[in-house]
Amino acid sequence: MAATVKNYRCIFCSHLTRSSKTFVQSSRTFTTSSRSLATAVAPPSATNSPSDKPRIKPTTFADRLNAGPSLSEFITEGNGAASSPYSLQTAYVGPAGKKKEITRLPSWLKTPIPDSSSYKKIKKDLRGLNLHTVCEEARCPNISDCWGGSSKSAATATIMLMGDTCTRGCRFCSVKTSKAPEPLDPHEPENTAEALSRWGLGYVVLTSVDRDDLADGGARHFAETVMKIKQKAPNMLVECLTGDYAGDLEMVRLVATSGLDVYAHNVETVEALTPQVRDRRATFRQSLKVLDSAKKAKDGLITKTSLMLGLGESEEQVWEALRELRAINVDVVTFGQYMRPTKRHMPVQEYVTPNVFEMWRQRALDMGFLYCASGPLVRSSYKAGEAFIENVLKKRRAGRSETITADLAGKESPSLQT
C-alpha cells in the first residue's frame, strides 16, 4: 500500500545558502518497500567505469634514468680486462641537432674543492693584508694542496706584486689585462715585507704582472720588496718569478742582485709555439737572454723556468727547448699540463698522461738539471719543488758556514803553535 507524504516550507532555515530557500509543497508517492536511506550511494553511471583512473603526471627524471646506460655498459666485455687507467672519455654536448663531441677532463686532473680551515684562514689573512696571489688570479688547481696544510708556516702562497692587472694578453693566462693599470702602491714593498715576516714562512715566492706602462717595467719596485723582506726576515728564502722587462737586461740584473735566492722566468712553451701562445712582445730568445743574464749577475744563483705541455708541441721541440735551457745553465725546470681557464683562451690540444710527464722528468735529470718537477698538476710555483730548492739552499748555506769556520781555524792555528 502506498503512503502519501507532504513536504512543507521551513521557516527556520533562512541561514542556508541554497539558491532557492523555499521548498515547493508537493506530493510524492513512493512505496515503503523501495524507500532508501539518505546516505545510500548512487549506482555508478555508465560514463564512470572502473577502468577510467586519473592519469599520473609522467616524471621526466625517471624517464631519463631508464633511458640511460645500463650496468652492462660499465662492465668490460670479452675477457674482463680493465681499460687503461689513462684512457680518455668523450661526450656529446649541445642542443639536439647541433651536438659536438668533446673530451672529458681526465681523472688525474681533477682536484678537490678547497674548503679546509687552513685555506680559509690564509685567504682571510691575505685579504686583510691587501695582498694578491697568483694562486687565485691564475686559478691554480693546486691551491687546496698548497694552502690546505696543517699550519700556515707549512703553506705556500705566491704573492703577486704591482696589482692584479697585466699589460699583456697571453692566450693561456686568465689574469686581467689593461693598457693602463692602476699606479703602483709605494707602500707595497714595506707592507708585503711586514706581512710575510709576521706570517712566519720559510720560503716565499714573489711574482708580478707585466707592467710595460712603466719605464723600468717595475724592476725597482720588485727589488725594493726583496730587500725589505731580507731586512725583516734574513733567513727567509725568496724566489722571484719575473717578467722579461721588455728585454732590458740591466733591469734583470737589478732584480737578480737584490738579495733573492732563486730567479725564475718562464719560457712557457717551445719556440715554435711561442707566437701563438704568448703575447707578441714576449719571445723565446728574449726569455733565454733573461735567464742567462740573471745567472751571470750573481754567483751561485739558482735559475728556474717552466714549460706547459698539451699545446700541440712535438717531442723533438721539447728536446730542443731543454737543450737550449741547459746550455745557459738553468738549474730547475718544471713541466705541467696546460689547462684552459675559460672558453676565450686557447683550447687544449692534448691531455698528456702522467707516464709521459715522468719520462720528461727523467730525461731532464739525465741532462744535468738540478731538479725537475713534472706532472699534470705541476706549476712553476710548486710546493714540492720549493721544498727541494729550500733544502738545497740550506745545505749550501751550511756548507759555506763550514768552509768559513775551517778557514778561520786554519788562520788561527799558526798563532796557536807559536
Side-chain angles (χ1 to χ4, degrees), residues 85-371:
Y86 298 142
S87 60
L88 298 177
Q89 304 294 327
T90 59
Y92 289 92
V93 297
K98 297 182 180 180
K99 291 185 179 294
K100 61 179 181 179
E101 186 179 12
I102 63 168
T103 302
R104 289 187 178 274
L105 188 69
S107 58
W108 62 83
L109 288 174
K110 296 179 180 179
T111 57
I113 298 174
D115 61 350
S116 65
S117 58
S118 177
Y119 167 83
K120 294 176 182 177
K121 289 179 181 178
I122 291 173
K123 188 171 184 177
K124 183 178 179 181
D125 289 348
L126 290 170
R127 296 292 80 79
L129 297 169
N130 197 27
L131 296 178
H132 300 283
T133 67
V134 74
C135 316
E136 296 171 292
E137 299 296 332
R139 305 182 184 183
C140 180
N142 296 319
I143 193 168
S144 60
D145 181 35
C146 294
W147 290 20
S150 57
S151 62
K152 289 192 296 183
S153 60
T156 300
T158 302
I159 307 300
M160 191 160 66
L161 303 175
M162 297 188 282
D164 60 353
T165 306
C166 186
T167 55
R168 298 188 182 182
C170 297
R171 295 186 63 199
F172 65 89
C173 183
S174 64
V175 175
K176 293 183 293 185
T177 61
S178 174
K179 292 183 179 179
E182 295 182 0
L184 297 181
D185 179 8
H187 303 291
E188 185 178 46
E190 179 69 26
N191 293 340
T192 302
E194 181 65 26
L196 292 176
S197 62
R198 290 181 181 180
W199 207 355
L201 297 176
Y203 192 104
V204 64
V205 182
L206 302 178
T207 189
S208 71
V209 293
D210 283 297
R211 293 298 300 262
D212 296 299
D213 59 317
L214 303 175
D216 63 349
R220 291 181 175 83
H221 189 88
F222 216 130
E224 184 183 356
T225 304
V226 175
M227 290 186 284
K228 294 286 186 181
I229 293 173
K230 288 294 185 178
Q231 289 173 3
K232 294 181 179 294
N235 294 325
M236 183 180 293
L237 300 176
V238 180
E239 174 184 328
C240 292
L241 175 59
T242 75
D244 57 16
Y245 300 113
D248 190 344
L249 301 184
E250 191 62 36
M251 296 299 101
V252 173
R253 286 187 282 269
L254 174 66
V255 177
T257 56
S258 62
L260 53 81
D261 301 284
V262 180
Y263 193 105
H265 173 71
N266 293 339
V267 296
E268 306 295 3
T269 187
V270 297
E271 185 173 12
L273 296 180
T274 297
Q276 292 81 33
V277 175
R278 303 175 68 185
D279 187 272
R280 59 180 177 80
R281 288 164 284 187
T283 66
F284 188 84
R285 293 291 155 188
Q286 187 165 278
S287 293
L288 292 180
K289 291 178 181 179
V290 168
L291 291 166
D292 188 33
S293 298
K295 189 72 173 179
K296 294 176 180 178
K298 180 182 177 182
D299 292 337
L301 181 66
I302 292 179
T303 51
K304 175 182 173 183
T305 193
S306 179
L307 290 97
M308 296 178 291
L309 301 183
L311 291 164
E313 66 285 335
S314 66
E315 184 174 348
E316 180 54 38
Q317 289 171 341
V318 179
W319 268 120
E320 182 60 29
L322 289 177
R323 285 191 286 265
E324 296 268 16
L325 293 170
R326 200 68 202 101
I328 57 174
N329 296 317
V330 173
D331 299 293
V332 178
V333 63
T334 64
F335 294 98
Q337 170 70 53
Y338 165 63
M339 295 176 69
R340 191 181 191 182
T342 68
K343 291 183 178 180
R344 296 182 291 104
H345 294 82
M346 285 188 65
V348 178
Q349 299 297 323
E350 178 188 6
Y351 286 116
V352 183
T353 63
N355 289 341
V356 175
F357 278 107
E358 176 58 26
M359 177 191 70
W360 284 116
R361 187 190 73 84
Q362 192 58 50
R363 286 177 176 179
L365 294 177
D366 293 341
M367 293 179 69
F369 286 94
L370 178 66
Y371 178 77

